[in-house]
Every structure is written in structure tokens, then in C-alpha cells.
Amino acid sequence: MKKAIKGQILSAERMDKIRVIENGYLVYEDGIITDVTDTLDDPDIEVKDYGNRLIVQAMSDMHLHAPQEPMVGLGLNLPLIEWLNTYTFPTEANFKDPAFAEKAFNKLCDELLASGVTRVAIFSSMHREATELLMKIMEKKGLSGLVGKVNMDRNGGENLEETTEESIRETEKWLSDTLGKYEHITPVITPRFTPSCTNELMEYLGKTAKEHGLYVQSHLSENQNEIAWVHELHPDTTQYWESYDKYGLFGDHTLMGHCVWSDERERKAMRDRGVYVVHCPTSNTNLMSGIAPVRQMLTEGNKVLLGSDIGAGSDISGFEVVRDAIQASKNRKILDDFKTEPLSVEEAWYLATSAPQEYFGEKPGFSPGNELHAVVINDDQMNDPWTLTPVERLERAIYRRQPGAVEAVHVRDFVPVRA
Amino acid sequence: MKKAIKGQILSAERMDKIRVIENGYLVYEDGIITDVTDTLDDPDIEVKDYGNRLIVQAMSDMHLHAPQEPMVGLGLNLPLIEWLNTYTFPTEANFKDPAFAEKAFNKLCDELLASGVTRVAIFSSMHREATELLMKIMEKKGLSGLVGKVNMDRNGGENLEETTEESIRETEKWLSDTLGKYEHITPVITPRFTPSCTNELMEYLGKTAKEHGLYVQSHLSENQNEIAWVHELHPDTTQYWESYDKYGLFGDHTLMGHCVWSDERERKAMRDRGVYVVHCPTSNTNLMSGIAPVRQMLTEGNKVLLGSDIGAGSDISGFEVVRDAIQASKNRKILDDFKTEPLSVEEAWYLATSAPQEYFGEKPGFSPGNELHAVVINDDQMNDPWTLTPVERLERAIYRRQPGAVEAVHVRDFVPVRA
């Protein structure tokens, strides 16, 4: 049976322009969008009328670490490697305990949904049980996307390291437990990053991704010390990406977090192989990694998505990540001696919504055929300086959040958040 | 009668270290702190026990524009001068209407207090009635500090400009209405910025500040086009600050917002004259003004405070401004080829709390003799990775806010915010 939600609809169909359907209807059937229209002919369609509220696409967070939820906002004056050893690895070691994991995952999923994020590509810890729990919680709560059991058989410290044999055995078991099990959650092959995985493990992971047709996610060129370390570990390579590429872990739909220091050659390799950059602006500032040249990546044709990178990122809310991406692009402009253009609201919004939709095989905007993933924004509590356009109201929602601003979140036929 | 509040007390007595008094008592009488102790001898003291909550100093927002409340988060892809003409001046023109003003000021004051800010140095609009209303609302709600009627007799556009005569007449009336009227609110002489004020008006403002012993607030060296404009307007000066200095508007306790591009000579002039830099990190990013060299200012001995700079800044919460200051210092490190050190949590927290206390004539930290301005932070809803220190908990409160995190705000004997 067809249903519709009605309001001021913003559909990010192009990167440079958001299409506005005022007092529009977003019509869907069995969770799939069938029409976006300003007139509804069929009187049998059940309409949920949100009045003057904005109805916008839900966002996707394409790089974050679920087991870092309990450490968001801690230890952020340390650079990457020191921060990993002092805060991250000890925190993740806690996820051996499913009770600890359950509490953290529930909180994280609730905060993501309440902030308008409905799809993710997420790192779990190395623990199989916790990873399976995360998938179960996500599916139940209405979050979709990719979940990876992290693989790490070296350099994890005392309490967060697998042997190569354990890593392979646990990955096999995890895949046999979860492949095809969930309607909306798919496993993703997840070497933590090159320094965490022996060549033997990398080889296994590359073969396994190929065997099951699974996507890959990892980290690339986040920090200069990290890049130097990778080069020491793989003296046969000239660039970081090659340490993945030689094991078949750098191909179509691979998600690479950060890419702050990826140069022209590395960016070209990404384009040639269909690898996606996942830009994590907040994290890159917090850990002083650098400012990724996103404008340049877009101009050259790289595919760019956004990630909160919890817990090096400290903003869980999708709106905050969009704002952080705009602000990072402005700081990049300053770094580039004011020569590069910052991201516009429209562009950053596209990267958080339509770009990941395309990654997941959908069309941009609220296009017929896409799953319904929508956020209803209530800005009644705001004082307007004059009558604002719907796009101005979206800009304000990105920059200035109010309690209760996310009035509802629709995911297919499910409404996981409602005021 | 003496009273006390009890909890995990954090007192920023030094810039490099926060003193922690675990299960401590903050004792006060008639709104003035008399003791900070971990043992309470006097059984007659009435204790409000906040248990394991953090009790921290309230913050001060030392540069913001009250009439820009309705435009927070709008038009932020424009640089300073264009943004002023397109968004700011038309918004401020609305404040001719006291009903419009009342709504905006109430919302702003409520949000400041709810986010832990109790003292401000604030720009009103040029409208006398609205300015007097702002002072009244602030005093009633428990906000203290400095309020300025903005003076602007040129370059304000059609609806936001006074004649010189009007500006002087309205300022005289405003001062006669409000000088000595409020217990906790003092007028501050406020030329908007050099391009907004004729020489005649500047001369009047300098004399008036001197006559009444009032402090001055304005803007300095925010943006390179602005600096060039000031130089055109005052060809007899070599640097921006001289356009204030020659009228006696650049002296002890003068607050100068931004100072992004102030060089060694301008910074030295500030030190020599007792002028304070008010660093506005969020605004400087949003309007792509630049990244102020705060580390260098502190090393050289400049006095630095923090401001949200609402509406070019988009974060009203004091905690967010502290975070933004840390993040800006990290971006500055990147801009400086990784050679300058970022602000630590302790340093940024000091700039938001003890530094403005010193500006207002108090001692740093929760020192006896200071007014009680305290924020009670509830982080019960958080998952801890292990038992955190009180300073780690403060860091997390700065980076990651939760609904209800500010459980109470104490201002002298008044509790304007309580859960």
C-alpha cells in the first residue's frame, strides 16, 4: 500500500543544487520511494503531514569505529599513533566483554539515528562476538550498511592482538555466521590498517574479499608518521596504497578513510580502481593529521564520502559532520593561501547523502527506486530574521542544532526516531 | 549565612594545570566564594550535594552580537564584508522593533546560561531601546558583564545607520538611563569598527569613555580586505589599531575581537596599552578570515580571552567555543607547518574561565573573594572506558555534549539553570 510524507522536501539531486519541492509529497511503497511530487492524485494514499517541516535525505556515516564510543572526546591532544596506543587500543580491548559492548553499541546506534544518520560503514573491534552483536543491534534499530570485524595480528599491544591463525579462524566463523543473515547489514573485509596486519593476513583478507564478493574498508595516508611506518614495513612499495593493492584490497567500492596526504599518484590510483575517499574532517583536526584537499579531489574526479571517525572524531551527529566538512574546507582554503574554494552547503550535504546513496547502488536525491531514508527537521523554535528559503533552513540546521530538531527519522517502513 | 555546593571541583588556578578537589566543598556567603576545601568543619553550613558531578567555573563569552541571534548559521559561505551587508545589517535593522528584540534576546540569554556561560561582553545593535531591553533581560536572568549600544554613522546601508548627531544623542541618553542602574551590567563604549564610525564620532566616543571611566570594545584586524579598507579611510595611520588609538579608544581593558592578522607591532601595542585580544575561533573559520596565532600571542604575553562571535560564530555553547579554540589551534599548527603547539584542554579552559575573571577584577579559579559562578556537569549517561580522572571528564564535556549535561548553573546566590 502506498503511503506518503508531506512537507518542505529537499532532494540533493545534483552536487551544486538542491531541488526543493515545497509542500511536497514523498510517496513510498514497501519502503521504496515511488514518487516525489507537489500534487497527489491518488486519494487512497495515506499521508503523514509534517506541515512546514523540512524533509531531507538521511545521512550516511561512512567511516567510524563502534568500539570507540566510550572514548569520544578523550585524549585528543595526542597525535595518531600515540593516541591509538594510549586510548584506543585499551578501550577496544574492553569489547571482549559482550555486556560492555552491548551498552556502548546501543548508545552509539541511538545517537546516530537521533542525529539523522541511517546508513554506515563501521569498524567493530577485532572481537567476533562483539561484531555479531553490533550487526544484530543495528538491524534491530534500523541502521543499515556495512560492518567489519577488525583484523589485527600485529602492533596492537598486550590486550588487542590476534595471532594470524586466530584472525583467520575468527573471520571465517564471523562470515559463516553473518553472510546473508541480515536484510540490511553486510559484512565488509576490514584490515585495521597496514601496520596492524601481517602480509599473510593481508593475503588471506584479499582472497576472502574476492571469494565472497565483499567490499573492503581501511585507512590510508592519514598522518605522516604513519605513512613512514608503512614504508618501513613494505619497503617494496613506493606509496601507502600499494600495501593494500598488492593483496587485492584496493579495488572497486573499497572505502579508504582519511587520504589526507594522498598525492596525485595515489589519488589517481583510487580513481582508476574505483576506490572511495572517506573524508573525516573532525578527526583530522583533533589528531592534527592535516587538512585533506577535498576540493582538489572533487575537481580531479575522486569519489568522496564523509565519516565521523568516532572516536578520533568527536561529533557523532551527521549534521555536525557536514558542518565540520565545510569548516575543514575553509581551513584548507586558508592553508592554500586563499586559493581553493571551500565546500558549499549544497556540496557538503551531497557528500553526506547522495554520494553514499550512489555507493550503495542508489540514485541521488529522493529518487524513485531508492529506499526511503528521510529526516524531518523541526525548526519552529527558531527566530527567523525574515522568511527563509528551505535551503537556508537546511544550512541553519547544519550549523545550529536545537533539542528536538530531528523530529522524525524514516527508514523504509520503519520510523526509528519520532518526537 | 554560609552555604556550600559539593562535588568534584575543578579550579583553573593556573594556565597549565587545573586543581582538582575531589568530593570538595565550594563555600560561599552572599554570593561570594569564601572557601574551597575537602573538609567542612562548620555543621551549620547548608550543603547542596552534587555527588560525583563535576563542579567547574562558569565561562565568559567576551565577544558576541546579541542582535545576530536570529541569523546564527545563515549565509556562512560569504566573507566578512559581503556577509555583513547581506545578512548582518538587515538582521540587526529588525531590532528597531522591541518585540522582535525581546524574543531574540530571551532566547540568546537562555541558551548562553544553559550552556554554562554567565558573563559576557556583548554588542547590542545601534538601537537604544533594544540595548536597554537587553541589559534588563540579562540582569533579570542572571547574566553579568558589559553591554554596548553599537555606534555606526557610516557604511551601514539603508536601514542601519545613524547620523553622527543621532549616534551621539542616543549614546548620551543610553548612558544617562543605564549608568549605575544595574548591579551586574555595565555599559561599554562600542564603536562597531573603524569603517562604521566617522572621525567625529570616534572622537566623541573616546572622550565619553574617558569621562565615565568606561571600557571599550570593538573589532581589529579580522580580515585582510577590512584592514585595507581601514587604511584607505585613515591614510595617516600605518596600522589598524592606530585608528582607535588616536581617539583614545585603545587603552586599558579595551576588548578587541579577532586580531587574526595583528602582527608583532600591533600585538606589542596591545600589550603596552593593556588591550585584550578576544579570540573568536568559530567565526574566523566560518567567514574564512584566517586562523589567529594564539600560541604566539600567549608566548609573547598578550592577554587573550574567548568569544563565540555570534552570529559569524555558529556555536553559542561555551563548551563548544572552548573546543573550537583547541581545534583552531590545531589547524594553526598545521598552517605553521606543524611547528607551533596547539592549546591544551587546560589552557583553552583557562582562557574561557579564569582569564575573563581576571579581566573582571577577580582571581583565577574558584578563589575566595570571587563571585560564585559555577556549572554542575552531569555525565552519568556516558559509558566510561575505565575510571576517568575529573580532568578527563572535563575534556569529554568540552567535546561531547549530551542533553541535560549542564545540570545546574550557580550565579552568586541565584541558580538560573537547574535540572
Side-chain angles (χ1 to χ4, degrees):
Chain A
M1 206 193 77
K2 283 190 181 176
K3 293 181 180 178
I5 53 178
K6 181 168 186 267
Q8 311 302 343
I9 298 176
L10 276 73
S11 179
E13 291 169 20
R14 282 167 36 187
M15 197 155 177
D16 60 345
K17 196 166 162 50
I18 294 173
R19 184 177 152 221
V20 178
I21 306 100
E22 293 194 36
N23 301 306
Y25 299 84
L26 194 47
V27 187
Y28 61 104
E29 185 165 15
D30 297 331
I32 304 296
I33 296 169
T34 60
D35 199 7
V36 190
T37 172
D38 56 6
T39 48
L40 201 65
D41 302 329
D42 185 346
D44 292 338
I45 294 177
E46 181 191 315
V47 177
K48 165 75 183 163
D49 189 349
Y50 284 110
N52 190 38
R53 307 276 189 276
L54 298 179
I55 301 179
V56 302
Q57 291 155 258
M59 292 162 278
S60 298
D61 186 343
M62 298 303 285
H63 183 100
L64 79 164
H65 297 263
Q68 294 174 21
E69 184 283 326
M71 53 170 286
V72 171
L74 291 173
L76 290 175
N77 270 41
L78 298 173
L80 177 64
I81 307 296
E82 292 84 335
W83 172 84
L84 282 173
N85 291 322
T86 314
Y87 279 88
T88 314
F89 292 166
T91 299
E92 290 198 11
N94 286 322
F95 285 73
K96 200 179 163 179
D97 171 11
F100 188 96
E102 186 167 8
K103 225 174 136 188
F105 292 155
N106 272 310
K107 185 166 172 64
L108 180 66
C109 291
D110 288 343
E111 287 196 23
L112 286 167
L113 284 164
S115 80
V117 173
T118 62
R119 285 184 267 214
V120 298
I122 199 164
F123 289 62
S124 183
S125 64
M126 70 176 203
H127 308 95
R128 181 179 49 76
E129 251 187 290
T131 306
E132 296 187 10
L133 186 61
L134 175 61
M135 297 169 92
K136 195 173 134 189
I137 291 171
M138 283 173 55
E139 175 104 344
K140 190 176 156 199
K141 286 189 183 281
L143 273 168
S144 327
L146 306 174
V147 177
K149 175 217 168 312
V150 161
N151 296 89
M152 46 191 305
D153 66 345
R154 64 176 176 187
N155 296 317
E158 202 176 342
N159 299 312
L160 197 71
E161 208 175 279
E162 318 161 294
T163 64
T164 309
E165 185 272 331
E166 278 169 343
S167 187
I168 293 173
R169 189 188 64 219
E170 291 294 287
T171 303
E172 288 291 306
K173 170 82 171 118
W174 166 60
L175 290 175
S176 91
D177 286 354
T178 59
L179 266 174
K181 180 170 179 184
Y182 297 106
E183 209 176 338
H184 306 290
I185 313 277
T186 311
V188 55
I189 295 299
T190 306
R192 183 175 202 113
F193 70 151
T194 298
S196 296
C197 299
T198 61
N199 297 357
E200 189 186 343
L201 183 56
M202 292 285 251
E203 198 175 328
Y204 160 76
L205 293 172
K207 276 187 194 155
T208 304
K210 191 174 174 189
E211 180 189 339
H212 297 289
L214 296 174
Y215 296 156
V216 175
Q217 65 178 353
S218 196
H219 297 82
L220 184 68
S221 298
E222 177 173 359
N223 164 304
Q224 290 180 304
N225 291 335
E226 172 211 20
I227 294 171
W229 192 13
V230 169
H231 190 64
E232 275 172 39
L233 293 166
H234 291 265
D236 57 317
T237 61
T238 58
Q239 291 196 304
Y240 193 162
W241 65 276
E242 297 169 34
S243 70
Y244 297 114
D245 194 53
K246 68 181 179 181
Y247 300 108
L249 293 162
F250 202 75
D252 182 49
H253 277 79
T254 292
L255 295 166
M256 282 289 161
H258 303 293
C259 310
V260 174
W261 297 98
S262 298
D263 66 2
E264 271 183 42
R265 181 169 173 265
E266 192 160 274
R267 293 197 298 262
K268 180 170 188 308
M270 284 188 256
R271 291 196 299 278
D272 290 347
R273 284 160 177 76
V275 173
Y276 285 68
V277 173
V278 191
H279 174 45
C280 303
T282 334
S283 164
N284 296 338
T285 297
N286 283 341
L287 299 187
M288 298 160 279
S289 302
I291 309 174
V294 173
R295 170 62 61 206
Q296 195 163 355
M297 291 170 176
L298 293 173
T299 303
E300 291 173 357
N302 281 88
K303 293 176 174 179
V304 179
L305 308 170
L306 298 182
S308 68
D309 194 25
I310 296 304
S314 42
D315 290 328
I316 293 177
S317 160
F319 293 104
E320 289 179 347
V321 174
V322 173
R323 177 205 56 190
D324 296 343
I326 297 172
Q327 291 182 334
S329 74
K330 292 177 173 182
N331 282 311
R332 182 73 208 196
K333 179 185 170 103
I334 295 166
L335 182 67
D336 291 337
D337 206 14
F338 294 86
K339 291 193 180 98
T340 46
E341 278 312 293
L343 295 179
S344 65
V345 169
E346 289 82 353
E347 287 173 320
W349 183 248
Y350 189 97
L351 297 184
T353 57
S354 292
Q357 286 173 206
E358 184 265 329
Y359 179 87
F360 288 118
E362 296 193 335
K363 290 189 284 291
F366 282 125
S367 295
N370 289 354
E371 286 186 353
L372 178 66
H373 287 256
V375 178
V376 181
I377 301 173
N378 176 345
D379 57 7
D380 284 356
Q381 64 276 60
M382 295 296 193
N383 295 317
D384 297 344
W386 46 76
T387 303
L388 299 174
T389 65
V391 175
E392 284 177 316
R393 291 169 61 196
L394 173 62
E395 181 184 10
R396 183 172 61 182
I398 289 167
Y399 277 100
R400 184 180 181 188
R401 289 148 307 285
Q402 302 277 304
V406 173
E407 178 166 315
V409 177
H410 286 256
V411 176
R412 295 177 296 274
D413 283 307
F414 184 46
V415 190
V417 176
R418 77 172 94 210
Chain B
M1 206 194 77
K2 282 190 182 176
K3 293 182 180 178
I5 52 178
K6 181 169 187 264
Q8 312 301 344
I9 298 175
L10 276 73
S11 179
E13 292 169 19
R14 281 168 35 189
M15 197 154 176
D16 59 345
K17 195 167 161 50
I18 293 172
R19 184 178 153 221
V20 178
I21 306 100
E22 293 194 36
N23 302 305
Y25 299 85
L26 194 46
V27 188
Y28 61 103
E29 186 166 15
D30 297 331
I32 304 296
I33 296 170
T34 60
D35 200 7
V36 190
T37 173
D38 57 5
T39 48
L40 201 65
D41 301 329
D42 185 346
D44 292 338
I45 294 177
E46 180 190 316
V47 177
K48 165 74 183 164
D49 189 348
Y50 284 111
N52 190 39
R53 307 277 189 276
L54 298 179
I55 300 178
V56 301
Q57 292 155 258
M59 292 162 278
S60 298
D61 187 343
M62 298 302 285
H63 184 100
L64 78 164
H65 297 262
Q68 294 174 22
E69 183 284 325
M71 52 169 286
V72 172
L74 290 173
L76 290 174
N77 270 40
L78 297 174
L80 177 64
I81 307 296
E82 293 84 337
W83 171 85
L84 282 172
N85 291 322
T86 315
Y87 280 88
T88 314
F89 292 165
T91 298
E92 291 198 13
N94 287 322
F95 284 74
K96 199 178 164 182
D97 172 10
F100 189 95
E102 186 167 7
K103 224 174 137 190
F105 292 155
N106 272 309
K107 184 166 172 64
L108 179 66
C109 291
D110 289 344
E111 287 195 23
L112 286 166
L113 284 165
S115 80
V117 173
T118 62
R119 283 185 269 213
V120 298
I122 198 164
F123 290 62
S124 182
S125 64
M126 69 175 204
H127 309 94
R128 182 180 48 77
E129 252 188 288
T131 305
E132 296 187 11
L133 185 62
L134 175 61
M135 296 170 93
K136 193 173 135 191
I137 291 171
M138 283 173 56
E139 175 106 342
K140 189 176 156 201
K141 286 188 182 282
L143 273 168
S144 328
L146 306 173
V147 176
K149 173 214 168 312
V150 161
N151 297 90
M152 46 191 307
D153 66 344
R154 64 175 176 188
N155 297 317
E158 203 177 341
N159 299 312
L160 198 70
E161 209 175 278
E162 317 160 295
T163 64
T164 309
E165 186 272 331
E166 278 169 342
S167 187
I168 293 173
R169 189 187 65 220
E170 290 294 288
T171 303
E172 288 291 305
K173 170 84 170 118
W174 167 59
L175 290 175
S176 94
D177 286 354
T178 60
L179 265 174
K181 180 170 179 184
Y182 296 106
E183 209 176 339
H184 306 289
I185 313 278
T186 311
V188 56
I189 296 298
T190 307
R192 183 175 202 114
F193 70 151
T194 297
S196 296
C197 299
T198 60
N199 297 357
E200 189 187 344
L201 183 56
M202 293 286 251
E203 198 175 328
Y204 160 76
L205 293 172
K207 277 187 191 154
T208 304
K210 191 173 174 191
E211 179 189 339
H212 297 289
L214 295 175
Y215 296 156
V216 174
Q217 65 178 353
S218 196
H219 296 83
L220 183 67
S221 298
E222 177 173 358
N223 163 302
Q224 289 180 305
N225 290 338
E226 172 210 20
I227 294 170
W229 192 12
V230 170
H231 190 65
E232 274 172 42
L233 293 165
H234 290 266
D236 56 318
T237 61
T238 58
Q239 291 196 304
Y240 193 161
W241 65 277
E242 297 169 34
S243 70
Y244 298 114
D245 194 54
K246 68 180 179 181
Y247 300 108
L249 293 162
F250 202 75
D252 182 50
H253 277 78
T254 292
L255 295 166
M256 281 289 161
H258 303 292
C259 310
V260 174
W261 297 97
S262 297
D263 66 1
E264 272 182 40
R265 181 168 173 267
E266 191 159 275
R267 294 197 298 263
K268 180 168 186 312
M270 284 188 256
R271 291 196 299 278
D272 290 347
R273 285 159 177 76
V275 173
Y276 286 68
V277 173
V278 192
H279 173 47
C280 304
T282 334
S283 163
N284 296 338
T285 297
N286 283 341
L287 298 188
M288 298 161 278
S289 303
I291 309 174
V294 173
R295 171 62 62 205
Q296 195 163 355
M297 291 170 177
L298 292 173
T299 303
E300 291 172 358
N302 280 87
K303 293 176 173 177
V304 179
L305 308 170
L306 299 182
S308 69
D309 195 25
I310 295 306
S314 42
D315 289 329
I316 293 178
S317 161
F319 293 103
E320 289 179 348
V321 174
V322 173
R323 177 205 57 192
D324 295 342
I326 298 171
Q327 291 181 335
S329 74
K330 292 177 174 182
N331 282 312
R332 182 73 208 197
K333 180 186 170 105
I334 295 166
L335 182 66
D336 290 337
D337 207 14
F338 293 87
K339 290 190 180 99
T340 47
E341 279 311 295
L343 294 180
S344 65
V345 169
E346 288 82 353
E347 288 173 320
W349 184 247
Y350 189 96
L351 297 184
T353 56
S354 292
Q357 286 173 205
E358 185 265 329
Y359 179 88
F360 288 118
E362 296 194 335
K363 290 189 284 293
F366 282 125
S367 294
N370 288 354
E371 288 187 352
L372 178 66
H373 287 257
V375 178
V376 180
I377 301 173
N378 177 345
D379 57 7
D380 284 357
Q381 63 277 59
M382 295 296 193
N383 296 316
D384 297 344
W386 48 76
T387 305
L388 299 174
T389 66
V391 174
E392 283 177 316
R393 291 169 62 195
L394 173 63
E395 181 184 10
R396 183 173 60 183
I398 289 167
Y399 277 100
R400 184 179 181 189
R401 290 147 306 287
Q402 301 277 305
V406 173
E407 178 166 315
V409 176
H410 287 256
V411 177
R412 297 178 294 274
D413 283 307
F414 183 46
V415 190
V417 176
R418 78 173 93 211

